[in-house]
PDB file of all heavy atoms in Angstrom:
ATOM      1  N   VAL A 169     -17.297  73.761  -9.956  1.00 97.00           N
ATOM      2  CA  VAL A 169     -17.350  74.257  -8.593  1.00 97.00           C
ATOM      3  C   VAL A 169     -18.547  73.646  -7.870  1.00 97.00           C
ATOM      4  O   VAL A 169     -18.432  73.134  -6.755  1.00 97.00           O
ATOM      5  CB  VAL A 169     -17.429  75.801  -8.568  1.00 97.00           C
ATOM      6  CG1 VAL A 169     -17.719  76.326  -7.171  1.00 97.00           C
ATOM      7  CG2 VAL A 169     -16.146  76.402  -9.098  1.00 97.00           C
ATOM      8  N   VAL A 170     -19.711  73.700  -8.499  1.00 98.00           N
ATOM      9  CA  VAL A 170     -20.954  73.251  -7.893  1.00 98.00           C
ATOM     10  C   VAL A 170     -20.919  71.767  -7.533  1.00 98.00           C
ATOM     11  O   VAL A 170     -21.570  71.336  -6.574  1.00 98.00           O
ATOM     12  CB  VAL A 170     -22.137  73.603  -8.824  1.00 98.00           C
ATOM     13  CG1 VAL A 170     -23.431  72.952  -8.372  1.00 98.00           C
ATOM     14  CG2 VAL A 170     -22.300  75.114  -8.904  1.00 98.00           C
ATOM     15  N   GLU A 171     -20.184  70.975  -8.294  1.00 98.00           N
ATOM     16  CA  GLU A 171     -20.119  69.533  -8.015  1.00 98.00           C
ATOM     17  C   GLU A 171     -19.661  69.228  -6.599  1.00 98.00           C
ATOM     18  O   GLU A 171     -20.061  68.227  -6.020  1.00 98.00           O
ATOM     19  CB  GLU A 171     -19.234  68.828  -9.039  1.00 98.00           C
ATOM     20  CG  GLU A 171     -19.931  68.638 -10.368  1.00 98.00           C
ATOM     21  CD  GLU A 171     -19.084  67.901 -11.373  1.00 98.00           C
ATOM     22  OE1 GLU A 171     -17.929  68.323 -11.609  1.00 98.00           O
ATOM     23  OE2 GLU A 171     -19.598  66.909 -11.936  1.00 98.00           O
ATOM     24  N   LYS A 172     -18.846  70.102  -6.003  1.00 98.00           N
ATOM     25  CA  LYS A 172     -18.420  69.894  -4.622  1.00 98.00           C
ATOM     26  C   LYS A 172     -19.604  69.986  -3.675  1.00 98.00           C
ATOM     27  O   LYS A 172     -19.682  69.269  -2.682  1.00 98.00           O
ATOM     28  CB  LYS A 172     -17.319  70.882  -4.266  1.00 98.00           C
ATOM     29  CG  LYS A 172     -16.037  70.650  -5.041  1.00 98.00           C
ATOM     30  CD  LYS A 172     -14.977  71.700  -4.714  1.00 98.00           C
ATOM     31  CE  LYS A 172     -13.758  71.505  -5.585  1.00 98.00           C
ATOM     32  NZ  LYS A 172     -13.687  72.398  -6.706  1.00 98.00           N
ATOM     33  N   ALA A 173     -20.536  70.866  -3.957  1.00 98.00           N
ATOM     34  CA  ALA A 173     -21.754  70.955  -3.149  1.00 98.00           C
ATOM     35  C   ALA A 173     -22.611  69.697  -3.344  1.00 98.00           C
ATOM     36  O   ALA A 173     -23.138  69.147  -2.379  1.00 98.00           O
ATOM     37  CB  ALA A 173     -22.554  72.208  -3.505  1.00 98.00           C
ATOM     38  N   ILE A 174     -22.753  69.296  -4.580  1.00 98.00           N
ATOM     39  CA  ILE A 174     -23.564  68.103  -4.876  1.00 98.00           C
ATOM     40  C   ILE A 174     -22.977  66.895  -4.171  1.00 98.00           C
ATOM     41  O   ILE A 174     -23.709  66.110  -3.543  1.00 98.00           O
ATOM     42  CB  ILE A 174     -23.643  67.896  -6.399  1.00 98.00           C
ATOM     43  CG1 ILE A 174     -24.389  69.058  -7.057  1.00 98.00           C
ATOM     44  CG2 ILE A 174     -24.319  66.550  -6.720  1.00 98.00           C
ATOM     45  CD1 ILE A 174     -24.237  69.115  -8.577  1.00 98.00           C
ATOM     46  N   ASP A 175     -21.662  66.721  -4.250  1.00 98.00           N
ATOM     47  CA  ASP A 175     -21.007  65.587  -3.584  1.00 98.00           C
ATOM     48  C   ASP A 175     -21.238  65.609  -2.074  1.00 98.00           C
ATOM     49  O   ASP A 175     -21.468  64.562  -1.454  1.00 98.00           O
ATOM     50  CB  ASP A 175     -19.510  65.590  -3.877  1.00 98.00           C
ATOM     51  CG  ASP A 175     -19.182  65.271  -5.326  1.00 98.00           C
ATOM     52  OD1 ASP A 175     -20.072  64.769  -6.059  1.00 98.00           O
ATOM     53  OD2 ASP A 175     -18.049  65.559  -5.739  1.00 98.00           O
ATOM     54  N   THR A 176     -21.187  66.792  -1.476  1.00 98.00           N
ATOM     55  CA  THR A 176     -21.402  66.913  -0.042  1.00 98.00           C
ATOM     56  C   THR A 176     -22.837  66.573   0.334  1.00 98.00           C
ATOM     57  O   THR A 176     -23.088  65.859   1.310  1.00 98.00           O
ATOM     58  CB  THR A 176     -21.019  68.333   0.448  1.00 98.00           C
ATOM     59  OG1 THR A 176     -19.665  68.578   0.092  1.00 98.00           O
ATOM     60  CG2 THR A 176     -21.179  68.468   1.945  1.00 98.00           C
ATOM     61  N   LEU A 177     -23.789  67.049  -0.433  1.00 98.00           N
ATOM     62  CA  LEU A 177     -25.200  66.725  -0.181  1.00 98.00           C
ATOM     63  C   LEU A 177     -25.423  65.221  -0.292  1.00 98.00           C
ATOM     64  O   LEU A 177     -26.128  64.615   0.536  1.00 98.00           O
ATOM     65  CB  LEU A 177     -26.110  67.486  -1.133  1.00 98.00           C
ATOM     66  CG  LEU A 177     -26.132  69.011  -0.932  1.00 98.00           C
ATOM     67  CD1 LEU A 177     -26.834  69.692  -2.099  1.00 98.00           C
ATOM     68  CD2 LEU A 177     -26.775  69.383   0.390  1.00 98.00           C
ATOM     69  N   LYS A 178     -24.818  64.598  -1.308  1.00 98.00           N
ATOM     70  CA  LYS A 178     -24.914  63.142  -1.474  1.00 98.00           C
ATOM     71  C   LYS A 178     -24.354  62.415  -0.243  1.00 98.00           C
ATOM     72  O   LYS A 178     -24.939  61.454   0.251  1.00 98.00           O
ATOM     73  CB  LYS A 178     -24.154  62.676  -2.716  1.00 98.00           C
ATOM     74  CG  LYS A 178     -24.817  62.916  -4.021  1.00 98.00           C
ATOM     75  CD  LYS A 178     -23.927  62.384  -5.142  1.00 98.00           C
ATOM     76  CE  LYS A 178     -24.419  62.782  -6.503  1.00 98.00           C
ATOM     77  NZ  LYS A 178     -23.492  62.369  -7.577  1.00 98.00           N
ATOM     78  N   GLU A 179     -23.193  62.868   0.199  1.00 97.00           N
ATOM     79  CA  GLU A 179     -22.513  62.241   1.353  1.00 97.00           C
ATOM     80  C   GLU A 179     -23.418  62.203   2.575  1.00 97.00           C
ATOM     81  O   GLU A 179     -23.395  61.245   3.342  1.00 97.00           O
ATOM     82  CB  GLU A 179     -21.232  63.022   1.630  1.00 97.00           C
ATOM     83  CG  GLU A 179     -20.444  62.543   2.828  1.00 97.00           C
ATOM     84  CD  GLU A 179     -19.247  63.429   3.112  1.00 97.00           C
ATOM     85  OE1 GLU A 179     -18.740  64.108   2.190  1.00 97.00           O
ATOM     86  OE2 GLU A 179     -18.821  63.458   4.272  1.00 97.00           O
ATOM     87  N   TYR A 180     -24.214  63.238   2.769  1.00 98.00           N
ATOM     88  CA  TYR A 180     -25.097  63.323   3.923  1.00 98.00           C
ATOM     89  C   TYR A 180     -26.501  62.778   3.643  1.00 98.00           C
ATOM     90  O   TYR A 180     -27.350  62.814   4.519  1.00 98.00           O
ATOM     91  CB  TYR A 180     -25.187  64.773   4.415  1.00 98.00           C
ATOM     92  CG  TYR A 180     -23.981  65.181   5.225  1.00 98.00           C
ATOM     93  CD1 TYR A 180     -22.836  65.652   4.609  1.00 98.00           C
ATOM     94  CD2 TYR A 180     -23.971  65.056   6.620  1.00 98.00           C
ATOM     95  CE1 TYR A 180     -21.718  66.023   5.350  1.00 98.00           C
ATOM     96  CE2 TYR A 180     -22.860  65.410   7.367  1.00 98.00           C
ATOM     97  CZ  TYR A 180     -21.749  65.894   6.715  1.00 98.00           C
ATOM     98  OH  TYR A 180     -20.650  66.246   7.459  1.00 98.00           O
ATOM     99  N   GLY A 181     -26.739  62.339   2.430  1.00 97.00           N
ATOM    100  CA  GLY A 181     -28.046  61.789   2.085  1.00 97.00           C
ATOM    101  C   GLY A 181     -29.150  62.829   2.006  1.00 97.00           C
ATOM    102  O   GLY A 181     -30.318  62.525   2.240  1.00 97.00           O
ATOM    103  N   VAL A 182     -28.791  64.050   1.649  1.00 98.00           N
ATOM    104  CA  VAL A 182     -29.765  65.131   1.554  1.00 98.00           C
ATOM    105  C   VAL A 182     -30.288  65.196   0.116  1.00 98.00           C
ATOM    106  O   VAL A 182     -29.500  65.264  -0.824  1.00 98.00           O
ATOM    107  CB  VAL A 182     -29.119  66.472   1.951  1.00 98.00           C
ATOM    108  CG1 VAL A 182     -30.065  67.643   1.707  1.00 98.00           C
ATOM    109  CG2 VAL A 182     -28.693  66.443   3.421  1.00 98.00           C
ATOM    110  N   PRO A 183     -31.603  65.185  -0.048  1.00 98.00           N
ATOM    111  CA  PRO A 183     -32.150  65.275  -1.409  1.00 98.00           C
ATOM    112  C   PRO A 183     -31.926  66.666  -1.999  1.00 98.00           C
ATOM    113  O   PRO A 183     -31.935  67.661  -1.276  1.00 98.00           O
ATOM    114  CB  PRO A 183     -33.642  64.992  -1.225  1.00 98.00           C
ATOM    115  CG  PRO A 183     -33.934  65.303   0.210  1.00 98.00           C
ATOM    116  CD  PRO A 183     -32.655  65.065   0.952  1.00 98.00           C
ATOM    117  N   TYR A 184     -31.715  66.698  -3.305  1.00 98.00           N
ATOM    118  CA  TYR A 184     -31.423  67.969  -3.967  1.00 98.00           C
ATOM    119  C   TYR A 184     -31.879  67.909  -5.406  1.00 98.00           C
ATOM    120  O   TYR A 184     -32.132  66.848  -5.968  1.00 98.00           O
ATOM    121  CB  TYR A 184     -29.922  68.270  -3.922  1.00 98.00           C
ATOM    122  CG  TYR A 184     -29.093  67.213  -4.614  1.00 98.00           C
ATOM    123  CD1 TYR A 184     -28.823  67.293  -5.974  1.00 98.00           C
ATOM    124  CD2 TYR A 184     -28.615  66.102  -3.913  1.00 98.00           C
ATOM    125  CE1 TYR A 184     -28.098  66.314  -6.617  1.00 98.00           C
ATOM    126  CE2 TYR A 184     -27.888  65.121  -4.548  1.00 98.00           C
ATOM    127  CZ  TYR A 184     -27.634  65.229  -5.888  1.00 98.00           C
ATOM    128  OH  TYR A 184     -26.921  64.245  -6.541  1.00 98.00           O
ATOM    129  N   GLU A 185     -31.990  69.087  -5.994  1.00 98.00           N
ATOM    130  CA  GLU A 185     -32.183  69.247  -7.442  1.00 98.00           C
ATOM    131  C   GLU A 185     -31.168  70.246  -7.918  1.00 98.00           C
ATOM    132  O   GLU A 185     -30.855  71.206  -7.206  1.00 98.00           O
ATOM    133  CB  GLU A 185     -33.586  69.775  -7.763  1.00 98.00           C
ATOM    134  CG  GLU A 185     -34.684  68.747  -7.657  1.00 98.00           C
ATOM    135  CD  GLU A 185     -36.021  69.305  -8.105  1.00 98.00           C
ATOM    136  OE1 GLU A 185     -36.053  70.287  -8.884  1.00 98.00           O
ATOM    137  OE2 GLU A 185     -37.040  68.740  -7.664  1.00 98.00           O
ATOM    138  N   VAL A 186     -30.671  70.056  -9.128  1.00 98.00           N
ATOM    139  CA  VAL A 186     -29.681  70.956  -9.720  1.00 98.00           C
ATOM    140  C   VAL A 186     -30.273  71.556 -10.985  1.00 98.00           C
ATOM    141  O   VAL A 186     -30.866  70.843 -11.807  1.00 98.00           O
ATOM    142  CB  VAL A 186     -28.370  70.199 -10.059  1.00 98.00           C
ATOM    143  CG1 VAL A 186     -27.342  71.139 -10.630  1.00 98.00           C
ATOM    144  CG2 VAL A 186     -27.835  69.476  -8.823  1.00 98.00           C
ATOM    145  N   HIS A 187     -30.121  72.880 -11.116  1.00 98.00           N
ATOM    146  CA  HIS A 187     -30.655  73.586 -12.284  1.00 98.00           C
ATOM    147  C   HIS A 187     -29.694  74.668 -12.754  1.00 98.00           C
ATOM    148  O   HIS A 187     -28.860  75.141 -11.982  1.00 98.00           O
ATOM    149  CB  HIS A 187     -32.013  74.242 -11.953  1.00 98.00           C
ATOM    150  CG  HIS A 187     -33.072  73.251 -11.605  1.00 98.00           C
ATOM    151  ND1 HIS A 187     -33.795  72.582 -12.547  1.00 98.00           N
ATOM    152  CD2 HIS A 187     -33.512  72.809 -10.401  1.00 98.00           C
ATOM    153  CE1 HIS A 187     -34.655  71.763 -11.962  1.00 98.00           C
ATOM    154  NE2 HIS A 187     -34.507  71.885 -10.650  1.00 98.00           N
ATOM    155  N   VAL A 188     -29.845  75.075 -14.007  1.00 98.00           N
ATOM    156  CA  VAL A 188     -29.126  76.213 -14.564  1.00 98.00           C
ATOM    157  C   VAL A 188     -30.164  77.279 -14.896  1.00 98.00           C
ATOM    158  O   VAL A 188     -31.031  77.065 -15.762  1.00 98.00           O
ATOM    159  CB  VAL A 188     -28.323  75.836 -15.841  1.00 98.00           C
ATOM    160  CG1 VAL A 188     -27.639  77.071 -16.424  1.00 98.00           C
ATOM    161  CG2 VAL A 188     -27.313  74.735 -15.540  1.00 98.00           C
ATOM    162  N   TYR A 189     -30.109  78.393 -14.148  1.00 97.00           N
ATOM    163  CA  TYR A 189     -30.941  79.548 -14.427  1.00 97.00           C
ATOM    164  C   TYR A 189     -30.075  80.781 -14.305  1.00 97.00           C
ATOM    165  O   TYR A 189     -29.279  80.895 -13.370  1.00 97.00           O
ATOM    166  CB  TYR A 189     -32.095  79.689 -13.415  1.00 97.00           C
ATOM    167  CG  TYR A 189     -33.110  78.571 -13.458  1.00 97.00           C
ATOM    168  CD1 TYR A 189     -33.389  77.843 -12.314  1.00 97.00           C
ATOM    169  CD2 TYR A 189     -33.794  78.273 -14.628  1.00 97.00           C
ATOM    170  CE1 TYR A 189     -34.324  76.816 -12.327  1.00 97.00           C
ATOM    171  CE2 TYR A 189     -34.735  77.253 -14.649  1.00 97.00           C
ATOM    172  CZ  TYR A 189     -34.998  76.536 -13.503  1.00 97.00           C
ATOM    173  OH  TYR A 189     -35.919  75.527 -13.525  1.00 97.00           O
ATOM    174  N   SER A 190     -30.215  81.681 -15.207  1.00 96.00           N
ATOM    175  CA  SER A 190     -29.432  82.913 -15.199  1.00 96.00           C
ATOM    176  C   SER A 190     -30.284  84.072 -14.717  1.00 96.00           C
ATOM    177  O   SER A 190     -31.426  84.225 -15.157  1.00 96.00           O
ATOM    178  CB  SER A 190     -28.910  83.205 -16.612  1.00 96.00           C
ATOM    179  OG  SER A 190     -28.394  84.511 -16.690  1.00 96.00           O
ATOM    180  N   ALA A 191     -29.721  84.892 -13.811  1.00 95.00           N
ATOM    181  CA  ALA A 191     -30.437  86.082 -13.361  1.00 95.00           C
ATOM    182  C   ALA A 191     -30.687  87.041 -14.514  1.00 95.00           C
ATOM    183  O   ALA A 191     -31.652  87.808 -14.498  1.00 95.00           O
ATOM    184  CB  ALA A 191     -29.641  86.779 -12.262  1.00 95.00           C
ATOM    185  N   HIS A 192     -29.813  86.986 -15.525  1.00 94.00           N
ATOM    186  CA  HIS A 192     -29.899  87.941 -16.630  1.00 94.00           C
ATOM    187  C   HIS A 192     -30.523  87.357 -17.905  1.00 94.00           C
ATOM    188  O   HIS A 192     -31.230  88.039 -18.616  1.00 94.00           O
ATOM    189  CB  HIS A 192     -28.497  88.476 -16.956  1.00 94.00           C
ATOM    190  CG  HIS A 192     -27.843  89.079 -15.758  1.00 94.00           C
ATOM    191  ND1 HIS A 192     -26.788  88.463 -15.124  1.00 94.00           N
ATOM    192  CD2 HIS A 192     -28.117  90.195 -15.057  1.00 94.00           C
ATOM    193  CE1 HIS A 192     -26.431  89.209 -14.097  1.00 94.00           C
ATOM    194  NE2 HIS A 192     -27.212  90.250 -14.017  1.00 94.00           N
ATOM    195  N   ARG A 193     -30.226  86.094 -18.194  1.00 95.00           N
ATOM    196  CA  ARG A 193     -30.694  85.503 -19.455  1.00 95.00           C
ATOM    197  C   ARG A 193     -31.995  84.715 -19.305  1.00 95.00           C
ATOM    198  O   ARG A 193     -32.712  84.541 -20.291  1.00 95.00           O
ATOM    199  CB  ARG A 193     -29.594  84.632 -20.057  1.00 95.00           C
ATOM    200  CG  ARG A 193     -28.369  85.452 -20.493  1.00 95.00           C
ATOM    201  CD  ARG A 193     -27.275  84.597 -21.075  1.00 95.00           C
ATOM    202  NE  ARG A 193     -26.749  83.609 -20.145  1.00 95.00           N
ATOM    203  CZ  ARG A 193     -25.761  83.833 -19.262  1.00 95.00           C
ATOM    204  NH1 ARG A 193     -25.185  85.006 -19.212  1.00 95.00           N
ATOM    205  NH2 ARG A 193     -25.340  82.863 -18.477  1.00 95.00           N
ATOM    206  N   THR A 194     -32.288  84.224 -18.096  1.00 97.00           N
ATOM    207  CA  THR A 194     -33.569  83.531 -17.857  1.00 97.00           C
ATOM    208  C   THR A 194     -34.200  84.047 -16.567  1.00 97.00           C
ATOM    209  O   THR A 194     -34.507  83.252 -15.662  1.00 97.00           O
ATOM    210  CB  THR A 194     -33.376  81.989 -17.791  1.00 97.00           C
ATOM    211  OG1 THR A 194     -32.458  81.689 -16.718  1.00 97.00           O
ATOM    212  CG2 THR A 194     -32.872  81.421 -19.110  1.00 97.00           C
ATOM    213  N   PRO A 195     -34.429  85.334 -16.446  1.00 96.00           N
ATOM    214  CA  PRO A 195     -34.965  85.873 -15.190  1.00 96.00           C
ATOM    215  C   PRO A 195     -36.366  85.378 -14.859  1.00 96.00           C
ATOM    216  O   PRO A 195     -36.686  85.195 -13.678  1.00 96.00           O
ATOM    217  CB  PRO A 195     -34.949  87.383 -15.409  1.00 96.00           C
ATOM    218  CG  PRO A 195     -34.993  87.550 -16.891  1.00 96.00           C
ATOM    219  CD  PRO A 195     -34.230  86.387 -17.450  1.00 96.00           C
ATOM    220  N   VAL A 196     -37.176  85.129 -15.858  1.00 97.00           N
ATOM    221  CA  VAL A 196     -38.539  84.648 -15.610  1.00 97.00           C
ATOM    222  C   VAL A 196     -38.492  83.250 -15.001  1.00 97.00           C
ATOM    223  O   VAL A 196     -39.182  82.956 -14.016  1.00 97.00           O
ATOM    224  CB  VAL A 196     -39.372  84.682 -16.908  1.00 97.00           C
ATOM    225  CG1 VAL A 196     -40.733  84.003 -16.717  1.00 97.00           C
ATOM    226  CG2 VAL A 196     -39.526  86.109 -17.401  1.00 97.00           C
ATOM    227  N   GLU A 197     -37.680  82.391 -15.574  1.00 97.00           N
ATOM    228  CA  GLU A 197     -37.576  81.010 -15.064  1.00 97.00           C
ATOM    229  C   GLU A 197     -36.960  80.991 -13.672  1.00 97.00           C
ATOM    230  O   GLU A 197     -37.400  80.214 -12.806  1.00 97.00           O
ATOM    231  CB  GLU A 197     -36.747  80.157 -16.033  1.00 97.00           C
ATOM    232  CG  GLU A 197     -37.434  79.878 -17.353  1.00 97.00           C
ATOM    233  CD  GLU A 197     -37.330  81.019 -18.377  1.00 97.00           C
ATOM    234  OE1 GLU A 197     -36.725  82.078 -18.079  1.00 97.00           O
ATOM    235  OE2 GLU A 197     -37.870  80.846 -19.481  1.00 97.00           O
ATOM    236  N   ALA A 198     -35.944  81.821 -13.441  1.00 97.00           N
ATOM    237  CA  ALA A 198     -35.318  81.890 -12.109  1.00 97.00           C
ATOM    238  C   ALA A 198     -36.339  82.360 -11.074  1.00 97.00           C
ATOM    239  O   ALA A 198     -36.404  81.809  -9.972  1.00 97.00           O
ATOM    240  CB  ALA A 198     -34.113  82.831 -12.147  1.00 97.00           C
ATOM    241  N   LYS A 199     -37.125  83.359 -11.441  1.00 98.00           N
ATOM    242  CA  LYS A 199     -38.157  83.874 -10.522  1.00 98.00           C
ATOM    243  C   LYS A 199     -39.214  82.811 -10.264  1.00 98.00           C
ATOM    244  O   LYS A 199     -39.619  82.601  -9.113  1.00 98.00           O
ATOM    245  CB  LYS A 199     -38.811  85.125 -11.096  1.00 98.00           C
ATOM    246  CG  LYS A 199     -39.891  85.667 -10.194  1.00 98.00           C
ATOM    247  CD  LYS A 199     -40.563  86.885 -10.777  1.00 98.00           C
ATOM    248  CE  LYS A 199     -41.634  87.353  -9.792  1.00 98.00           C
ATOM    249  NZ  LYS A 199     -42.410  88.450 -10.296  1.00 98.00           N
ATOM    250  N   GLU A 200     -39.675  82.157 -11.308  1.00 98.00           N
ATOM    251  CA  GLU A 200     -40.704  81.128 -11.144  1.00 98.00           C
ATOM    252  C   GLU A 200     -40.221  79.997 -10.245  1.00 98.00           C
ATOM    253  O   GLU A 200     -40.942  79.550  -9.341  1.00 98.00           O
ATOM    254  CB  GLU A 200     -41.119  80.572 -12.511  1.00 98.00           C
ATOM    255  CG  GLU A 200     -42.237  79.552 -12.425  1.00 98.00           C
ATOM    256  CD  GLU A 200     -42.651  79.038 -13.800  1.00 98.00           C
ATOM    257  OE1 GLU A 200     -42.911  79.878 -14.679  1.00 98.00           O
ATOM    258  OE2 GLU A 200     -42.708  77.805 -13.961  1.00 98.00           O
ATOM    259  N   PHE A 201     -39.001  79.539 -10.469  1.00 98.00           N
ATOM    260  CA  PHE A 201     -38.465  78.449  -9.655  1.00 98.00           C
ATOM    261  C   PHE A 201     -38.358  78.867  -8.200  1.00 98.00           C
ATOM    262  O   PHE A 201     -38.810  78.154  -7.300  1.00 98.00           O
ATOM    263  CB  PHE A 201     -37.102  77.987 -10.179  1.00 98.00           C
ATOM    264  CG  PHE A 201     -36.556  76.817  -9.421  1.00 98.00           C
ATOM    265  CD1 PHE A 201     -36.932  75.537  -9.761  1.00 98.00           C
ATOM    266  CD2 PHE A 201     -35.706  76.984  -8.341  1.00 98.00           C
ATOM    267  CE1 PHE A 201     -36.457  74.426  -9.055  1.00 98.00           C
ATOM    268  CE2 PHE A 201     -35.222  75.897  -7.629  1.00 98.00           C
ATOM    269  CZ  PHE A 201     -35.607  74.619  -7.994  1.00 98.00           C
ATOM    270  N   SER A 202     -37.778  80.037  -7.938  1.00 98.00           N
ATOM    271  CA  SER A 202     -37.566  80.452  -6.549  1.00 98.00           C
ATOM    272  C   SER A 202     -38.897  80.813  -5.871  1.00 98.00           C
ATOM    273  O   SER A 202     -39.071  80.532  -4.683  1.00 98.00           O
ATOM    274  CB  SER A 202     -36.575  81.606  -6.464  1.00 98.00           C
ATOM    275  OG  SER A 202     -36.961  82.681  -7.285  1.00 98.00           O
ATOM    276  N   SER A 203     -39.835  81.362  -6.601  1.00 98.00           N
ATOM    277  CA  SER A 203     -41.144  81.715  -6.034  1.00 98.00           C
ATOM    278  C   SER A 203     -41.908  80.475  -5.592  1.00 98.00           C
ATOM    279  O   SER A 203     -42.705  80.542  -4.645  1.00 98.00           O
ATOM    280  CB  SER A 203     -41.983  82.486  -7.050  1.00 98.00           C
ATOM    281  OG  SER A 203     -41.406  83.718  -7.353  1.00 98.00           O
TER     282      SER A 203
END
């Protein structure tokens, strides 16, 4: 599903980063990244 977003960002030349963080299994990492 997410690849459609990545493809669209690429099409417009918008820089991006892609990550896997779980609200339940990696809450500390998700919080650190978003903070």
Side-chain angles (χ1 to χ4, degrees):
V169 170
V170 170
E171 283 182 307
K172 294 177 184 100
I174 296 166
D175 291 344
T176 302
L177 293 168
K178 283 181 189 175
E179 178 184 335
Y180 282 86
V182 173
Y184 61 88
E185 283 185 23
V186 182
H187 296 278
V188 177
Y189 295 124
S190 168
H192 305 108
R193 294 180 299 273
T194 59
V196 172
E197 291 81 359
K199 179 182 180 184
E200 182 179 310
F201 184 84
S202 55
S203 295

